[in-house]
Amino acid sequence: MKDHPPAYQSTTPALTVDKAFYRRVAESGGRTLVESFILPIRSGRAWTVPAGHVFRIVTPEGPQVGDLNLWNRHNPRERLWASRTRQLQAAHVSVFDRLWSTLPFLRPIATITSDSLKDYGIDEFGGRIHDLLGTRCDPYVNRMLTGEDFDFHCHSNLVRAVAPYGLTEFDVHDVLNIFQCTGLNRADKYFMRASPASKGDHIEFFAEIDLLCALSTCPGGDLSVPLWGPDARDPIDVCRPLGVEVWALDPVLLEGWKSPESPTYKGAHGMRLEKPNW
């Protein structure tokens, strides 16, 4: 199969990334741990990250998939836009890739600074790591496919996680699947493979704005067991916790940095108010 250039290419600096800055963030020792916690299996939790901080998601006991949502802490209408991030960055993301927000805001809200699996590449099935291709598992599709109810899918875990922040099921959105290996098969259908993560692996993000984050420890665990189909069974034995760390950076590291701004589109989408006759 021939290669083809990407559709989304910029003639402005909009997609330029200051790699030297994010490399300093990742490699400098100038940081202070401000929060750390463990998410048990099949659970969800939300937390805040101030702009200019970093947060790291780790696998303390071995491979485990996590489903991540992000919002503007002060305006949850601005949130991670998975499909646009796929177009502007990639369907699977790693170091220096940025997570973009929804319209009309459209700006990077987080940038990946460190990823212990960045060299995973493409496996024999075409699988890659840290997936934006698919979305969270949910109790509705599970009911449709199996005829059974289960309240601890990632969608439900995220719903419970954000409830204390005044958000609802309608605020939960398409996710970044952390440590998840996925691709498209020859029939152009989505597949999931066992997570290649090991104990102690991590992915780290720089908060470009004040963030509300929510993470679910997927009930499928490391996805080595099919969730649906004739070979499906309860994968409880391959479920493991995830850890989260939030770090404040030395202010010297942040000199010259500021939160990204939204595009300065001034139009009215072609709509014009007619001038009254008075």
Side-chain angles (χ1 to χ4, degrees), residues 8-29:
Y8 284 76
Q9 301 185 44
S10 178
T11 54
T12 72
L15 300 182
T16 301
V17 178
D18 185 351
K19 293 183 179 180
F21 168 73
Y22 294 109
R23 200 174 284 118
R24 287 196 302 272
V25 167
E27 297 174 357
S28 171

Side-chain angles (χ1 to χ4, degrees), residues 37 66 69 83 122 170 213 231 240:
F37 57 86
N69 266 187
S83 59
I122 309 173
F170 295 100
C213 310
D231 298 323
R240 301 175 183 89

Side-chain angles (χ1 to χ4, degrees), residues 14-250:
L15 300 182
T16 301
V17 178
D18 185 351
K19 293 183 179 180
F21 168 73
Y22 294 109
R23 200 174 284 118
R24 287 196 302 272
V25 167
E27 297 174 357
S28 171
R31 54 172 65 187
T32 303
L33 184 67
V34 297
E35 186 176 11
S36 177
F37 57 86
I38 297 292
L39 277 77
I41 67 169
R42 296 181 169 178
S43 70
R45 180 163 171 174
W47 70 98
T48 59
V49 182
H53 286 50
V54 296
F55 67 96
R56 175 176 287 211
I57 300 172
V58 300
T59 53
E61 296 183 12
Q64 169 65 40
V65 167
D67 287 40
L68 180 68
N69 266 187
L70 301 175
W71 297 262
N72 180 330
R73 176 68 183 93
H74 311 291
N75 178 12
R77 287 191 174 185
E78 181 177 14
R79 62 193 193 185
L80 169 64
W81 191 3
S83 59
R84 184 63 85 208
T85 300
R86 286 198 304 269
Q87 293 172 321
L88 294 178
Q89 303 293 162
H92 299 82
V93 291
S94 189
V95 176
F96 303 131
D97 284 324
R98 318 188 86 179
L99 305 181
W100 293 75
S101 66
T102 47
L103 296 178
F105 312 100
L106 190 61
R107 56 178 173 167
I109 57 175
T111 301
I112 299 174
T113 53
S114 182
D115 174 15
S116 61
L117 294 168
K118 66 182 184 301
D119 296 324
Y120 180 76
I122 309 173
D123 64 29
E124 60 182 317
F125 295 96
R128 306 178 194 227
I129 197 73
H130 305 314
D131 156 48
L132 285 163
L133 271 179
T135 189
R136 61 212 180 274
C137 57
D138 69 76
Y140 303 98
V141 75
N142 188 73
R143 177 73 183 185
M144 181 179 70
L145 296 178
T146 70
E148 299 177 356
D149 288 337
F150 183 70
D151 295 328
F152 298 92
H153 284 286
C154 288
H155 179 82
S156 300
N157 294 345
L158 293 169
V159 170
R160 296 193 309 276
V162 299
Y165 292 87
L167 303 186
T168 73
E169 179 173 13
F170 295 100
D171 296 295
V172 173
H173 50 279
D174 282 351
V175 298
L176 170 58
N177 292 299
I178 306 295
F179 306 124
Q180 182 164 310
C181 183
T182 66
L184 301 175
N185 66 16
R186 290 180 179 176
D188 205 29
K189 293 183 181 294
Y190 182 73
F191 70 78
M192 304 185 297
R193 299 197 65 216
S195 171
S198 301
K199 180 178 179 179
D201 275 320
H202 73 270
I203 185 169
E204 184 178 275
F205 304 83
F206 177 86
E208 302 284 356
I209 64 172
D210 291 343
L211 290 174
L212 172 64
C213 310
L215 181 67
S216 166
T217 47
C218 182
D222 64 12
L223 297 183
S224 61
V225 175
L227 299 182
W228 300 283
D231 298 323
R233 65 169 177 84
D234 184 356
I236 185 72
D237 56 312
V238 295
C239 288
R240 301 175 183 89
L242 288 172
V244 172
E245 303 166 356
V246 181
W247 298 80
L249 300 178
D250 187 327

